[in-house]
Amino acid sequence: MFPETRMRRLRNGKMRDLVRENSLSADNLIYPMFVDETISTIQKTASMPGVERLPLSKVADDAKEAADLGIPAIILFGIPSHKNEHGSSAWGDEDIVQKAVREIKSELGKDMVVITDVCLCEYTDHGHCGMVDFEKEEVLNDPTLPLLGETAVSHAKAGADMVAPSGMMDGMIGAIRSALDENNFTDIPIMSYAAKYSSSFYGPFRDVAESGCCFGDRSTYQMDPANSDEAMREVELDIMEGADIIMVKPALPYLDIIYRVKTEFRMPTAAYNVSGEYAMIKAAAQNGWLDEKKVMYESLLSIKRAGADMILTYFAKDMARILK
């Protein structure tokens, strides 16, 4: 007890570094990229300052910049020139994500892990993550599964190193694992958005990716923010179906979920530091209310401390520059 025990003894100078329990490195970062089939020049985004929509001709350059900063992985989101009810621009060999994968792998090869988001919301004209019964205004689970499998296979054929299904359809991991295996892609891992909450923090992403819903919301397939035990069931099911990495999304409002997932399953665990979390820090910093670099670091470190092995974040390049 005080005065014999003085916790401040270990908080001075380099002594503080010696007893640090957690650390953050560029190896923990995954950089999200938006590739847009409808543009020919880089476009800035209003709701996410610093985040850009890239034409196909610029994706390899942006990925190389990330690689040069020591970032080991990117995740690709596509914005197609054509959308329809079924989201068929998601799985064609000559569609935007497939082309972007080939461009990046041709430039960087094994120097960059290319992950692809596997979902239909950016490709459907209704904006939902699966097939829809318009009369009932219902998102259909089972008819969506083979389309997700086909999309994942097309990404693997293009050269993707990992697929990341985000649609929260029941059985999607099993369907994708089966589709990959049947097409001789048994070595392609799956990073599942296993505990993806129906969150209000996704707004800026939907603005950038043009993936808003034409009716209702996603609460019938994404998780209730009030639930914690349900997340454990979702994660366990995805592991049983073949997920290699599990993800919690969003990150900062769900640090307790990240901690529970890592503690209970001891699986490689990802967390998505989502667009709303990013935009809030950016807006506060622009108003002079926060020190952007310090708050960015503290936020990402808290996600790592909660148990995340890898963090998907729009701050990836900025954070890597500081760490480098």
Side-chain angles (χ1 to χ4, degrees):
M1 298 294 291
F2 179 83
E4 288 80 13
T5 300
R6 292 178 179 263
M7 298 298 290
R8 291 178 57 182
R9 287 175 185 145
L10 301 180
R11 292 177 186 161
N12 286 318
K14 291 295 182 180
M15 195 76 72
R16 187 184 183 95
D17 297 337
L18 283 173
V19 298
R20 179 166 290 137
E21 297 173 25
N22 294 279
S23 62
L24 189 65
S25 87
D27 288 335
N28 304 130
L29 305 176
I30 298 173
Y31 172 49
M33 293 173 57
F34 296 92
V35 56
D36 187 340
E37 193 171 28
T38 69
I39 61 176
S40 57
T41 59
I42 294 172
Q43 291 191 356
K44 296 182 179 180
T45 60
S47 56
M48 297 175 69
V51 173
E52 298 169 330
R53 285 161 61 157
L54 303 169
L56 181 63
S57 61
K58 298 296 183 181
V59 292
D61 292 341
D62 199 39
K64 187 176 187 307
E65 182 181 353
D68 290 344
L69 288 166
I71 297 169
I74 62 166
I75 183 166
L76 280 172
F77 298 92
I79 301 164
S81 59
H82 174 70
K83 300 187 180 192
N84 60 23
E85 179 181 343
H86 298 97
S88 59
S89 294
W91 58 78
D93 288 342
E94 296 302 316
D95 284 326
I96 187 60
V97 165
Q98 291 79 358
K99 287 182 177 180
V101 171
R102 290 196 291 269
E103 287 283 325
I104 295 166
K105 295 306 290 186
S106 175
E107 175 72 23
L108 294 173
K110 294 183 179 180
D111 291 336
M112 177 60 72
V113 174
V114 176
I115 308 167
T116 55
D117 179 75
V118 178
C119 193
L120 301 182
C121 62
E122 294 138 61
Y123 307 93
T124 55
D125 53 14
H126 48 74
H128 276 290
C129 299
M131 296 302 91
V132 165
D133 182 326
F134 285 99
E135 287 188 14
K136 297 180 180 178
E137 292 195 345
E138 178 183 347
V139 178
L140 303 174
N141 192 95
D142 293 14
T144 302
L145 299 181
L147 303 184
L148 296 177
E150 189 171 355
T151 301
V153 169
S154 74
H155 292 174
K157 284 181 179 177
D161 299 295
M162 185 187 302
V163 295
S166 61
M168 288 297 284
M169 296 293 114
D170 291 339
M172 67 180 184
I173 303 304
I176 290 170
R177 183 73 271 160
S178 294
L180 290 170
D181 292 352
E182 288 165 6
N183 285 274
N184 298 316
F185 292 113
T186 55
D187 291 334
I188 298 294
I190 298 173
M191 178 170 67
S192 174
Y193 291 63
K196 181 178 179 180
Y197 284 84
S198 180
S199 172
S200 298
F201 283 87
Y202 304 148
F205 173 94
R206 290 173 183 164
D207 174 48
V208 174
E210 298 180 352
S211 60
C213 305
C214 69
F215 67 84
D217 56 27
R218 294 173 170 86
S219 61
T220 61
Y221 47 99
Q222 294 178 359
M223 284 186 53
D224 184 343
N227 294 353
S228 175
D229 290 342
E230 182 186 1
M232 302 305 108
R233 294 183 64 198
E234 285 279 12
V235 169
E236 184 175 19
L237 287 167
D238 281 7
I239 293 170
M240 291 171 65
E241 289 179 27
D244 301 283
I245 300 171
I246 45 174
M247 187 197 301
V248 176
K249 181 181 180 184
L252 291 175
Y254 298 90
L255 294 177
D256 60 318
I257 307 301
I258 298 170
Y259 179 79
R260 282 196 65 183
V261 166
K262 188 62 178 179
T263 300
E264 294 191 24
F265 296 103
R266 297 292 176 185
M267 282 279 292
T269 301
Y272 204 138
N273 179 224
V274 300
S275 60
E277 301 168 49
Y278 173 88
M280 287 193 302
I281 292 175
K282 281 287 186 179
Q286 288 178 350
N287 279 284
W289 298 335
L290 292 174
D291 182 313
E292 181 178 331
K293 290 182 179 179
K294 289 182 179 179
V295 173
M296 170 181 65
Y297 179 80
E298 185 177 342
S299 298
L300 297 180
L301 183 62
S302 75
I303 298 167
K304 180 79 184 302
R305 188 186 66 238
D309 302 294
M310 59 207 83
I311 304 169
L312 294 78
T313 178
Y314 304 100
F315 284 120
K317 289 200 293 186
D318 290 341
M319 190 72 255
R321 289 187 185 100
I322 292 173
L323 294 170
K324 194 171 183 178

